Amino acid sequence: MPTTCALCRRVVPDERISDPQVVQEHHLRPEERDTSPTVTLCRPCHDQVHAVFTNAELRADYDTIDALRSADRLDGYLEWIRGTDTLRISVDTSTAVRDRS
C-alpha cells in the first residue's frame, strides 16, 4: 500500500519503498519518544524538519503536523518538494539552527 507523507502529502508508491529509510517515523515531541505522537514523513521532509528546527523548537512550537505545515521556514521547501518525486536530498543543518541548540 502506498505511503503518504504527512507533511508534504506526496504519495510514495510501494515500488519506491524498497529502501526502509524512504519513509520514516517522526516524533512530534523529540526527546520524548516514549510519549510522543508520531507521523510518517518521507525522508526529505524528515531531514528538512530536523535541519531547520531545533528539538526544543519542535517540542515548544511545532509538535503537530498542522504547525509544521504552516511554519514559515518550510514554505519554500514544501512548495518545491511537492513538485518533485525525489526521495533523497542533501540537507545541511544551518549555522543558525546549530547556534540555537
Side-chain angles (χ1 to χ4, degrees), residues 31-83:
E31 300 171 358
E32 296 177 9
R33 288 180 172 272
D34 293 340
T35 58
S36 175
T38 61
V39 293
T40 300
L41 302 181
C42 63
R43 177 182 14 223
C45 284
H46 198 209
D47 289 348
Q48 186 70 10
V49 164
H50 285 287
V52 300
F53 298 107
T54 66
N55 284 346
E57 288 172 322
L58 290 170
R59 283 191 310 276
D61 300 317
Y62 301 100
D63 64 347
T64 68
I65 199 66
D66 289 334
L68 284 169
R69 272 194 214 114
S70 63
D72 291 344
R73 285 185 240 170
L74 292 177
D75 281 347
Y77 165 78
L78 287 173
E79 184 176 329
W80 170 79
I81 198 71
R82 287 176 181 141

Side-chain angles (χ1 to χ4, degrees), residues 2-15:
T3 300
T4 301
C5 175
L7 184 58
C8 70
R9 296 182 175 140
R10 294 183 308 154
V11 175
V12 181
D14 288 342
E15 59 271 11

